[in-house]
Amino acid sequence: AWTGAIFRRGGHLAHEHRYDRAAEFVRAAKQLWANRGGVDFDGEFIRFVSDRVLPQSPQSRPVLFQAGDSSQGRDFGAEHADVIFSAHPELEGATAFAADLRERLTKFGRARDELAFFPGATIVVGGTPKEAEEKARWVREHQISPATSLRYLEQFWGKDLSHLDPDGPLPTEDPVVAVTDGTRGTAFQNAKALELAQQWREKSEALGLSIRDFVIHLSSQRGFVGSVDEVADTLTELARSGAVTGINLTPYLVPSGLDDIVDELIPALQERGSYRTEYPGTTLRENLGLPAVVEDLVPA
């Protein structure tokens, strides 16, 4: 409520209405971009009067990026977004995600090529598969300290766990909440904490992992680790499947985590014909391969 109070018609916004407000915000922004005169917008959540002060963009309007994996979030992306950031970089998951979104596009009268898919992923390459695995392990061990691993679990358990040994087993005590709320941050929001706790206990016990080792294990599940040729082959298969337009790259180190990608992986991808050697246009929309925007004024 104290955050909502700074907005018009402030106060606490119920969780189920977050996309209602988001959709209204997008409609309002599109009116500003499309209208060459003034805009008087009076919605349920947003109210403003504005004269146009900027010329129209060469790409008609800015490219809209969206991230959200719930059914409501996917519908919102299918209706409004040009690019979707997803959490599905592997071929099977990426294919299923893209198929679902393309099916949803039809509900809003949009064509299948109106949406680009950029899953988030970390990429670690080495001269050999073993070298890449050792590098990835070294990075994770240095990024996740004993204290960090306990703080990570606290986001789900909702309580202080500093009394636990990070080299010992996961907590036997249950989380204090069944579902984590938005105060835990977007990475932890709406997690089914009680269910996860039980699943994680069983998995960590089966794998023989301590708290710290288990958090390191969780952090390594999304991404690509291997030799340059291995990763280039995997990304090429993804690109040719049509399920992925590109990768929303999360460097494992900043800025040096990009060096191997630029110097070694991109040339290997270009050799396979799966990464461009020049840009086709002068706008972001053209370079993402998105169709031109032809929109009438969006009603308030």
Side-chain angles (χ1 to χ4, degrees):
W2 55 267
T3 301
I6 69 173
F7 295 98
R8 178 177 181 262
R9 298 174 185 173
H12 179 69
L13 181 66
H15 185 74
E16 63 268 20
H17 295 314
R18 68 198 190 285
Y19 279 114
D20 296 332
R21 185 185 187 281
E24 187 173 287
F25 186 95
V26 171
R27 289 196 296 271
K30 285 181 175 179
Q31 279 212 358
L32 283 174
W33 293 325
N35 199 320
R36 297 184 182 279
V39 174
D40 186 342
F41 191 96
D42 188 9
E44 181 181 356
F45 303 97
I46 296 167
R47 169 80 177 95
F48 69 87
V49 177
S50 176
D51 293 328
R52 187 180 183 90
V53 294
L54 295 174
Q56 191 172 48
S57 165
Q59 57 185 356
S60 180
R61 62 160 172 77
V63 176
L64 301 182
F65 292 76
Q66 190 264 351
D69 211 359
S70 67
S71 180
Q72 194 176 10
R74 292 187 184 199
D75 270 346
F76 178 69
E79 182 175 6
H80 296 289
D82 299 305
V83 180
I84 294 282
F85 286 146
S86 84
H88 306 282
E90 294 80 13
L91 181 60
E92 183 178 354
T95 301
F97 181 82
D100 180 67
L101 264 294
R102 285 170 176 149
E103 182 66 26
R104 293 172 191 256
L105 284 171
T106 62
K107 295 195 303 184
F108 302 102
R110 300 183 66 191
R112 292 171 61 87
D113 66 346
E114 290 186 51
L115 194 58
F117 299 92
F118 278 73
T122 296
I123 298 176
V124 182
V125 294
T128 65
K130 182 179 179 181
E131 180 185 317
E133 288 288 350
E134 289 175 348
K135 183 193 298 185
R137 178 74 186 182
W138 181 89
V139 170
R140 291 193 294 268
E141 287 179 346
H142 283 74
Q143 289 176 332
I144 300 174
S145 68
T148 301
S149 64
L150 292 176
R151 298 294 88 77
Y152 182 88
L153 288 192
E154 286 177 354
Q155 303 307 309
F156 295 95
W157 260 255
K159 60 191 297 186
D160 180 18
L161 299 176
S162 59
H163 60 285
L164 296 178
D165 179 3
D167 292 321
L170 265 66
T172 56
E173 56 207 272
D174 285 334
V176 297
V177 293
V179 179
T180 58
D181 61 24
T183 64
R184 302 289 172 189
T186 56
F188 308 100
Q189 188 171 343
N190 298 321
K192 296 180 179 179
L194 288 172
E195 293 182 21
L196 273 177
Q198 183 58 34
Q199 292 171 6
W200 285 358
R201 288 190 196 105
E202 294 172 357
K203 188 170 185 178
S204 65
E205 185 176 350
L207 296 175
L209 300 177
S210 66
I211 290 175
R212 185 185 179 205
D213 285 338
F214 186 71
V215 174
I216 290 173
H217 171 76
L218 289 177
S219 72
S220 64
Q221 290 183 343
R222 196 175 78 191
F224 305 98
V225 178
S227 68
V228 172
D229 285 336
E230 280 183 329
V231 175
D233 287 343
T234 298
L235 294 181
T236 296
E237 182 182 14
L238 270 174
R240 291 175 180 169
S241 75
V244 167
T245 311
I247 297 294
N248 177 21
L249 187 64
T250 304
Y252 60 90
L253 292 176
V254 178
S256 60
L258 291 172
D259 293 346
D260 293 342
I261 309 300
V262 173
D263 297 337
E264 299 181 40
L265 182 58
I266 286 179
L269 291 170
Q270 289 172 329
E271 290 175 2
R272 290 160 171 78
S274 53
Y275 195 98
R276 64 177 54 137
T277 56
E278 60 183 0
Y279 289 103
T282 59
T283 67
L284 178 61
R285 181 172 298 280
E286 291 172 313
N287 290 332
L288 288 171
L290 296 168
V293 174
V294 180
E295 287 183 336
D296 296 324
L297 291 181
V298 183

